[in-house]
Amino acid sequence: MKTTSKVLLAPDCIVDWKASPHMIISGVTGSTKTNTIEDVLLSTMSAKSRLNAQELGMCAKAYVIDGKGSDLASLKALHPAVTPNQAARTLRILTKDMHMRYEHFSGDFGKTASDYSVNGKSVRDVVLIIDELAVLLNDPKLRSEILRYLFDLLVAARQASIYVSPLGA
């Protein structure tokens, strides 16, 4: 069974992480950027709750980093990272996962990690949402580490089926 990368946000709005792996939501302060991505995540979580246990394992794994610890941090089921240490740890884990996926699944041109399977199970897609990154970059001890991991993920994660969507600064 293949994983699905589509999330129905509204009757005429489908978000497909694979067809459009880079998403940018921009706007002025208060223009509902965070609410829009929160709707995408809640829609994903709602869809997951309707699936049976076998299908549940095929859903994408979502990670959230919220530098202000406000709107997206309320999605407790996703264990959001809200401090610079937590953000660096999440990015470190995802970067390590990305490199592991490249080691185990590199090969055929044009495939992503989710095109492969281990013991008959597809490799799960990963979605990372980052909100208020600038707040996290104010920590002088972790700024370069966070930026290094984020750069690695933005450059190479898509082919490892890891999709990164930074939101507002």
Side-chain angles (χ1 to χ4, degrees), residues 24-36 131-132 166-169:
I24 186 166
I25 299 173
S26 63
V28 298
T29 299
S31 64
T32 72
K33 298 179 298 290
T34 301
N35 290 342
T36 299
D131 196 10
E132 303 298 346
L167 300 177

Side-chain angles (χ1 to χ4, degrees), residues 53-95:
Q54 182 181 5
E55 292 169 325
L56 185 58
M58 303 312 294
C59 294
K61 171 77 174 161
Y63 290 87
V64 172
I65 297 174
D66 184 349
K68 283 187 179 175
S70 56
D71 297 319
L72 294 180
S74 68
L75 300 172
K76 301 292 185 202
L78 297 178
H79 308 289
V82 297
T83 67
N85 279 326
Q86 292 170 342
R89 180 180 181 274
T90 298
L91 293 170
R92 185 180 318 115
I93 288 168
L94 290 175
T95 302

Side-chain angles (χ1 to χ4, degrees), residues 7-158:
V7 174
L8 179 64
L9 188 56
D12 59 347
C13 181
I14 296 175
V15 176
D16 186 341
W17 295 106
K18 286 186 179 180
S20 190
H22 303 291
M23 179 190 320
I24 186 166
I25 299 173
S26 63
V28 298
T29 299
S31 64
T32 72
K33 298 179 298 290
T34 301
N35 290 342
T36 299
I37 201 64
E38 187 174 31
D39 286 346
V40 170
L41 289 170
L42 289 173
S43 176
T44 301
M45 292 166 64
S46 173
K48 286 170 67 172
S49 69
R50 292 190 302 265
L51 298 172
N52 67 38
Q54 182 181 5
E55 292 169 325
L56 185 58
M58 303 312 294
C59 294
K61 171 77 174 161
Y63 290 87
V64 172
I65 297 174
D66 184 349
K68 283 187 179 175
S70 56
D71 297 319
L72 294 180
S74 68
L75 300 172
K76 301 292 185 202
L78 297 178
H79 308 289
V82 297
T83 67
N85 279 326
Q86 292 170 342
R89 180 180 181 274
T90 298
L91 293 170
R92 185 180 318 115
I93 288 168
L94 290 175
T95 302
K96 183 178 178 182
D97 184 29
M98 176 186 70
H99 290 296
M100 186 262 333
R101 288 175 178 221
Y102 271 109
E103 287 176 26
H104 287 91
F105 303 112
S106 64
D108 297 332
F109 177 77
K111 287 190 174 183
T112 62
S114 64
D115 293 321
Y116 295 96
S117 64
V118 176
N119 299 325
K121 294 183 179 179
S122 293
V123 176
R124 289 174 71 183
D125 291 338
V126 174
V127 175
L128 169 63
I129 307 297
I130 305 171
D131 196 10
E132 303 298 346
L133 177 63
V135 175
L136 299 167
L137 297 178
N138 277 332
D139 186 314
K141 293 179 183 176
L142 293 171
R143 177 185 172 95
S144 63
E145 181 182 1
I146 289 170
L147 286 173
R148 183 178 67 248
Y149 290 134
L150 185 57
F151 178 80
D152 286 350
L153 289 167
L154 288 171
V155 169
R158 182 195 51 80

